[in-house]
Amino acid sequence: MQFLPAASRLPPTLAATKHARLSQSPRIFKGSKYQRVGRSFPRLRFKPDTETDVPTSDAETTARTLSEGTWDRDEWFSAYEDAVESPSGYWMKIEGELPSTLRGTYFRNGPGRWNDGGEDVLHPYDSEGLVASISIKNGRAFFRSRFVETKESQQEEAKGQKVYKGAFGTVPNAARKNFDVYVKNASNSAVFLWGPKLWTLYESGQPYLLDPYTLRTVGLDNLDGVFHEGLPFDLGLGRIANSLTGALLQVLKRDESFKALVGGDAVCAHPRVDPKTNRLVIFSYRLKLSHNPSLISTELTFYEFDQKFNLVNTLHHTFPGYAFVHDFGLTENYYVVIEAHLISRPSSDSASKSKAQIIKMQPSFCFHHVNAYEEDSTVVLDSIHYPRFPDFHYMLQPGKGYKDIDADQQPIGRLKRMVLDLEKREGTLTEKNFRAMEFPGINAGFEGSPYKYTYVSASLHPHKNQPGQAIAKVNVDSGAVEMWSAGTHYYVGEPEFVSNYQGIGAVSEVEDDGWILCMCYDSLAQRSELVVLNARRVIDGPVAVLPLEGKLPHGLHGCWSGKYFGP
């Protein structure tokens, strides 16, 4: 097994970049295009490292003003309200025309309930998960949504109050009264369909299985013992000691309906699929008491499943201390983890190499990786990098919560490329674009291979930290950005790329031959809507918009299935 740490803790150099020329064409699309009377949509194209142009027309002046970026806090947070689920669903109105090649189902997960039993959550990520699906076929679309019915949420609903602590700081009154270290599984971070299973994921617990047709919660899915249920903490003294600890926690909580389990596997919210082997790859983590100076270690377990969810490979790896790992990169031979490490896959040619290689790098923190691949003797990893871990301390002040965030005081996520030379044991970290961006997605057929484009939620301002208000297509080689936005009152979520070539082994030679699906929020209309863009011409804006009857709170991660799960 090969293992390469590749990050340290030095602040990256920040260099100002100049504005690039903007062009704007207010438009109303007709026929098969997007049509909405009374609204115009700017076409924004940015290329890095170019000289500032002086606007030559009123249209360019308007676009330049828009690019300065502004957002209204009240408008942004107006999406964070208790959602109303729609388990029966409804046929959606369509503005424009859905592509004839678009057939399947878009799933999205995210927080959905803020106030329960009279107590608000301290942070949205402690909120109950709400899964939405939009099934598309023959130019029509059917919407459905449903809350994930976790064990904790069912118990809280029965009691009429919040009972469990949240991973992001929510401590209800009931949890303050007793010795309580149990963190609820909100199951709100991601939704993923593989083979016969639709999972919701939350990296403080195990997956929940849903019916993809109805979104009804089937229950916790541990794959018949592949994952261990419970809190991801291990005393390191065996299962009996973990069981006794769980029993003690149950006694201290004084709640007969509460069942405390420790020694569980917390399954990550970012599965990846190797298109060459058609395997699902996912990891879990567990904290364990250890004899190292920090007295704790982090155990990662990687799993590879075939299309029928048969377990093909597992690999265990231990990091000294606490390692916060949210996502990973996948190449032909490696799992790429930032702390950062390269861990040889069990089936790889490098698996027999046992000596660790260490590469010292500039420091950074990552939530999400774009893609990773091997090239000659190097490993390339593109990620959204932050100079430091985001600050949540402001929420700990009396009377404060997530709405009190100061965006100017938070680190900015930017696209950077890490290149690790395995022979020279050297690495470089290069900034590809200075704009704040997050939620990167690619054509999944290029996972683990050289590629050219990523699709992200980007800020309008060229270098300030602001919410995503534009869908951007980024050339990962040059850093050039092509983007579309509906303006400063509009907010975009995670773009999902859908290839025109779907099915096992069906990969187009044209990487951007497909569509971008993105759930957005129109703060003026107080509603959410799914937009569909041509991935080859993001700058042209939506070819179709599917407004919801209400609004969904700002969400997290979704997925696309080529199978239609509508009525």
Side-chain angles (χ1 to χ4, degrees), residues 172-428:
N173 292 329
R176 298 177 191 272
K177 298 176 182 178
N178 304 307
F179 179 76
D180 192 352
V181 297
Y182 191 90
V183 177
K184 71 184 297 183
N185 181 350
S187 209
N188 65 18
S189 300
V191 57
F192 191 79
L193 188 135
W194 180 251
K197 293 178 179 288
L198 179 66
W199 273 356
T200 57
L201 297 161
Y202 188 72
E203 60 192 30
S204 290
Q206 295 75 51
Y208 269 86
L209 181 67
L210 271 60
D211 183 319
Y213 290 94
T214 66
L215 302 183
R216 180 183 61 84
T217 302
V218 178
L220 204 66
D221 188 8
N222 290 323
L223 296 179
D224 295 325
V226 173
F227 307 133
H228 295 101
E229 184 178 353
L231 293 176
F233 182 77
D234 193 330
L235 291 176
L237 300 174
R239 292 189 177 182
I240 295 178
N242 288 338
S243 298
L244 292 174
T245 302
L248 177 61
L249 292 176
Q250 186 167 343
V251 172
L252 292 173
K253 192 172 176 65
R254 303 173 189 172
D255 186 344
E256 294 181 358
S257 64
F258 172 76
K259 184 179 181 181
L261 298 173
V262 297
D265 298 306
V267 181
C268 82
H270 287 279
R272 291 183 179 268
V273 174
D274 185 339
K276 295 183 178 68
T277 61
N278 198 37
R279 288 184 183 176
L280 170 68
V281 185
I282 196 169
F283 73 87
S284 67
Y285 79 90
R286 182 189 301 176
L287 302 180
K288 187 175 183 179
L289 292 182
S290 177
H291 297 297
N292 63 51
S294 63
L295 301 180
I296 201 168
S297 60
T298 304
E299 292 187 339
L300 294 190
T301 301
F302 288 86
Y303 313 83
E304 297 197 16
F305 299 94
D306 65 17
Q307 196 182 17
K308 295 182 179 180
F309 245 114
N310 296 312
L311 183 62
V312 178
N313 273 321
T314 58
L315 183 145
H316 305 279
H317 193 83
T318 301
F319 303 94
Y322 173 65
F324 179 88
V325 183
H326 180 72
D327 193 3
F328 73 107
L330 181 67
T331 74
E332 182 178 358
N333 293 296
Y334 299 106
Y335 310 127
V336 188
V337 177
I338 295 239
E339 275 289 309
H341 303 77
L342 273 73
I343 305 170
S344 299
R345 295 175 64 176
S347 58
S348 71
D349 294 336
S350 56
S352 60
K353 300 177 182 179
S354 58
K355 186 177 180 179
Q357 298 184 44
I358 301 175
I359 298 178
K360 295 182 179 181
M361 292 288 301
Q362 289 177 255
S364 85
F365 172 80
C366 297
F367 284 113
H368 300 123
H369 303 304
V370 184
N371 195 15
Y373 59 90
E374 298 169 41
E375 194 170 57
D376 299 325
S377 62
T378 67
V379 171
V380 178
L381 176 64
D382 293 335
S383 314
I384 304 299
H385 286 255
Y386 295 79
R388 58 179 172 83
F389 189 79
D391 181 15
F392 292 100
H393 288 92
Y394 65 92
M395 296 194 308
L396 301 179
Q397 302 174 26
K400 298 292 185 179
Y402 65 95
K403 292 185 179 180
D404 298 293
I405 186 172
D406 184 350
D408 293 334
Q409 300 302 315
Q410 295 295 320
I412 299 176
R414 295 187 171 102
L415 176 63
K416 296 185 180 183
R417 170 164 290 183
M418 180 181 290
V419 180
L420 305 175
D421 190 315
L422 305 185
E423 292 182 351
K424 296 181 180 179
R425 298 189 180 184
E426 296 176 349
T428 59

Side-chain angles (χ1 to χ4, degrees), residues 19 22 63-70 460-464 466:
H19 294 280
L22 304 175
R64 179 64 55 77
T65 300
L66 181 60
S67 75
E68 291 301 318
T70 182
L460 284 176
H461 197 282
H463 59 81
K464 286 188 176 181
Q466 296 181 346

Side-chain angles (χ1 to χ4, degrees), residues 45 453 455 473 482 497-498 500-501 508-516 533-541:
R45 190 191 299 274
Y453 301 114
Y455 307 89
K473 177 183 182 180
E482 178 182 304
F497 181 90
V498 179
N500 276 326
Y501 294 79
S508 170
E509 294 182 358
V510 181
E511 183 184 335
D512 58 352
D513 185 7
W515 308 95
I516 302 299
L533 294 85
N534 186 336
R536 305 184 74 174
R537 295 287 303 174
V538 169
I539 197 172
D540 289 341

Side-chain angles (χ1 to χ4, degrees), residues 485-498:
S485 174
T488 57
H489 304 285
Y490 200 79
Y491 302 92
V492 307
E494 176 189 61
E496 182 73 31
F497 181 90
V498 179

